[in-house]
Amino acid sequence: MTGKRPPTYDTRTVPAREPKHWDTPLPHTLPAHLPTPGKSPDWPYINIGKWKIDVNNYAESWRKELTIWRHEHKIRAGYDGSRYDRPELAWSQRNFVHTQMMVEDRYFYDPVKGEYTVDRYLDDLEKRFGGIDSVLIWYVYPNIGIDNRNQTMLASDMPGGLDGLKKAVQAFQKRGVRVFLPTMPWDNGTRPEGVEDWDAVTGLAVQLGADGVNGDTYNGVPRVYADVSDKANRPLIFQPEGSLTADEALQWNQQTWARRRPTSSRP
């Protein structure tokens, strides 16, 4: 083999060159992870612990690869972002402070007076934290499993029944706070509802006038939930607990808690 050897660079004194596209991972090699600026040394990693990546120097090529990655994954997913453009769902893009509220919270309900005290609950949060944008009303565990009541029955057994709970939902909304209800696929050992979860839970959200559904343990609430809510003329925001494990689910899961599972490969 003939030819001149490429010049060597002392990275202690000479800045690294801006890499070519092949110096950073290409989209087809990244089924899950986003591209990163620069790359680690190749095997056998003899210098591991001594190397570093000049992120600023790789910025231009990283932006290009990120654009390619996003474009390709949107094609793979058959991405349609029209749900994000719907005016009635636009509030989700400003829903930054969200809390899971246990219904046993004494600031939410006064057992002596037998009434919901939503204003007291929100006033306390505003005083301590500056307030919230949305609330997940959690009436499921630790109660579920103590008898054969399923998740929707536990909602019906809230003080005042569904009419009372609906008034509490309206009280939150009057203060500009959006309301989520829960759904969980692991509710399998209780009394059968007689209909699929997406019909039961979405129907409950529509009946109560809620704004969204939180998918407990879900890494993406199934599309059928969104279809049912649209059919009922009450479009809802769906919010899984986990990070999405399928790119196409981004189209109807407009929020997420993004809780990573230990085995997840997603950023």
Side-chain angles (χ1 to χ4, degrees):
M1 182 175 180
T2 60
K4 294 182 179 180
R5 297 181 61 184
T8 57
Y9 289 85
D10 184 345
T11 56
R12 293 173 298 179
T13 57
V14 181
R17 294 174 299 173
E18 174 67 25
K20 302 294 184 181
H21 286 299
W22 52 80
D23 287 324
T24 52
L26 295 175
H28 67 276
T29 67
L30 296 161
H33 291 291
L34 290 168
T36 56
K39 66 176 183 178
S40 60
D42 293 328
W43 182 260
Y45 303 113
I46 57 175
N47 293 321
I48 194 167
K50 300 179 181 179
W51 56 270
K52 64 180 181 179
I53 297 173
D54 185 349
V55 176
N56 291 331
N57 194 57
Y58 281 76
E60 182 180 348
S61 62
W62 176 62
R63 284 193 293 266
K64 290 180 180 178
E65 292 301 332
L66 188 61
T67 299
I68 295 171
W69 183 93
R70 181 175 60 183
H71 178 71
E72 181 166 331
H73 278 68
K74 288 171 72 174
I75 293 174
R76 294 181 186 184
Y79 182 76
D80 177 3
S82 59
R83 197 171 183 86
Y84 290 86
D85 297 328
R86 294 171 62 169
E88 67 271 30
L89 299 176
W91 64 267
S92 66
Q93 300 175 41
R94 301 183 301 276
N95 182 39
F96 302 114
V97 184
H98 171 80
T99 188
Q100 178 183 12
M101 182 197 70
M102 307 298 288
V103 294
E104 294 82 4
D105 194 315
R106 290 299 178 91
Y107 279 82
F108 172 62
Y109 183 77
D110 187 332
V112 176
K113 295 182 179 180
E115 63 183 23
Y116 291 102
T117 53
V118 172
D119 285 330
R120 182 179 181 227
Y121 176 79
L122 292 177
D123 288 343
D124 174 65
L125 293 184
E126 287 184 359
K127 180 180 179 180
R128 291 190 291 148
F129 307 117
I132 57 176
D133 296 314
S134 64
V135 62
L136 168 59
I137 300 179
W138 196 263
Y139 43 74
V140 192
Y141 58 67
N143 297 329
I144 196 166
I146 198 171
D147 51 33
N148 69 346
R149 289 177 296 169
N150 61 41
Q151 53 187 307
T152 54
M153 290 177 179
L154 290 172
S156 299
D157 286 345
M158 288 286 292
L162 292 182
D163 287 339
L165 187 56
K166 183 174 183 177
K167 291 179 181 178
V169 170
Q170 292 172 338
F172 276 112
Q173 294 168 334
K174 186 178 180 180
R175 293 282 296 267
V177 175
R178 300 286 182 165
V179 178
F180 285 78
L181 301 183
T183 184
M184 55 285 303
W186 47 264
D187 179 14
N188 295 317
T190 57
R191 180 177 175 181
E193 185 70 26
V195 296
E196 299 291 353
D197 283 354
W198 43 85
D199 290 316
V201 175
T202 302
L204 178 63
V206 171
Q207 183 177 353
L208 297 180
D211 303 288
V213 171
N214 172 273
D216 187 61
T217 73
Y218 274 112
N219 283 337
V221 177
R223 173 64 181 265
V224 66
Y225 278 85
D227 292 340
V228 171
S229 73
D230 285 346
K231 187 176 181 180
N233 293 318
R234 179 69 182 184
L236 302 169
I237 292 296
F238 296 96
Q239 178 193 75
E241 176 184 1
S243 299
L244 300 181
T245 52
D247 291 332
E248 61 270 19
L250 181 65
Q251 298 172 88
W252 60 89
N253 287 270
Q254 291 170 259
Q255 293 198 320
T256 173
W257 283 10
R259 292 183 62 177
R260 286 190 62 187
R261 294 180 178 275
T263 56
S264 173
S265 61
R266 292 196 167 259

